[in-house]
Amino acid sequence: MRKWIVSLLAILAYNLAGYAQTGPSTWFELEFSKKIVKNLKVEFNPELRLLNDFRMDTYILEGGLSYKLHKYLTLAGYYRFENAWDYKNSTGAYKGQVSSGRIAFDAKSGFELKRFDFQFRIRYTNGADFDSATDDRDSYFRYRAKVDYDIKNSKLLPYLSVETFHDLILKEFDKTRYTAGITYPINNSNEIGLFYRIQDYKETGKESLSIIGVGYGLKF
């Protein structure tokens, strides 16, 4: 079963790579969390995104609180600062950069079925990435479904996820992310992971984005 899962992820990543028209970009995602009291934790989730030629694309500083209200319901709120490089309007090393701040609110749920762990998240945010069809002041719902598979006698945890971006101003879905990845817990506090992601746009003529990602998580 372990070989079958890993082979399936490799085949899926290969097919997704063929579907993408540009890339790959490289994303580094970090997750730091600390339990404050029972069911309440603080989180800090910085990201670094590089273009396919390894030029700076975006860096993100995100922090917030997460509270487990019920076995099947967790609520969370975050603030995100994002700085992006706009090379089309740049005339120097530090010119042509655009910054923004936004908030997000999550409702998360899920359940386990045998060796599968199904997770669902609805996120409201008052903006999207700088590649959105409208500006950063608009409102979005982001819907994500994810499934992990617990391989017997192995620490490797493969997963698949799909996330769609619903623009509440234009009343349309303008972007979808497809992700195949695998995580490995080093110990009870540290975790590393790799993923391959396709970011597909509804906008006609806009190329899909291929992304290779590296993740690291630390629980204090």
Side-chain angles (χ1 to χ4, degrees):
M1 178 61 73
R2 183 187 314 174
K3 293 181 179 180
W4 184 86
I5 292 293
V6 174
S7 298
L8 179 62
L9 285 171
I11 293 171
L12 181 61
Y14 177 81
N15 288 329
L16 288 176
Y19 180 71
Q21 299 174 3
T22 62
S25 297
T26 306
W27 289 11
F28 298 92
E29 300 182 351
L30 305 176
E31 297 182 5
F32 304 104
S33 63
K34 170 68 175 179
K35 183 180 290 186
I36 303 174
V37 295
K38 182 180 180 181
N39 296 334
L40 178 65
K41 64 179 180 179
V42 61
E43 301 179 19
F44 178 56
N45 307 311
E47 293 185 31
L48 174 64
R49 300 177 181 179
L50 305 178
L51 298 174
N52 56 355
D53 56 2
F54 295 102
R55 288 184 299 166
M56 284 290 298
D57 181 16
T58 308
Y59 71 81
I60 296 170
L61 301 176
E62 179 183 274
L65 295 172
S66 176
Y67 182 73
K68 189 173 183 179
L69 189 65
H70 184 270
K71 179 181 179 180
Y72 297 107
L73 180 61
T74 298
L75 302 178
Y78 304 94
Y79 175 80
R80 168 179 288 196
F81 172 81
E82 185 168 346
N83 190 81
W85 272 250
D86 184 358
Y87 291 100
K88 291 182 179 179
N89 298 320
S90 179
T91 58
Y94 298 100
K95 297 180 181 179
Q97 297 184 37
V98 184
S99 300
S100 72
R102 64 178 186 263
I103 58 174
F105 299 99
D106 290 359
K108 309 173 189 178
S109 187
F111 63 91
E112 295 182 0
L113 180 63
K114 294 184 178 180
R115 307 193 74 85
F116 293 92
D117 183 12
F118 295 90
Q119 303 163 39
F120 307 96
R121 187 192 73 189
I122 299 176
R123 167 171 289 184
Y124 168 81
T125 178
N126 64 336
D129 296 334
F130 289 108
D131 59 3
S132 61
T134 51
D135 61 45
D136 198 57
R137 296 169 295 175
D138 294 329
S139 299
Y140 274 78
F141 273 132
R142 295 168 53 173
Y143 313 97
R144 190 186 72 180
K146 180 182 177 185
V147 57
D148 299 337
Y149 182 77
D150 182 13
I151 303 176
K152 189 176 181 180
N153 299 323
S154 174
K155 288 187 176 182
L156 293 175
L157 187 67
Y159 67 89
L160 300 171
S161 72
V162 178
E163 183 176 17
T164 60
F165 290 65
H166 183 196
D167 189 325
L168 300 179
I169 304 299
L170 298 180
K171 295 181 172 59
E172 65 180 21
F173 293 90
D174 65 4
K175 180 169 60 180
T176 304
R177 287 176 178 169
Y178 306 93
T179 305
I182 194 162
T183 59
Y184 179 82
I186 301 173
N187 50 42
N188 292 333
S189 301
N190 295 268
E191 180 181 87
I192 58 174
L194 294 171
F195 64 83
Y196 185 84
R197 176 174 293 154
I198 290 294
Q199 189 158 275
D200 184 41
Y201 303 95
K202 181 181 178 181
E203 184 180 346
T204 303
K206 191 164 187 177
E207 296 181 342
S208 300
L209 181 63
S210 174
I211 302 159
I212 294 176
V214 180
Y216 172 73
L218 174 62
K219 298 178 181 179
F220 293 96

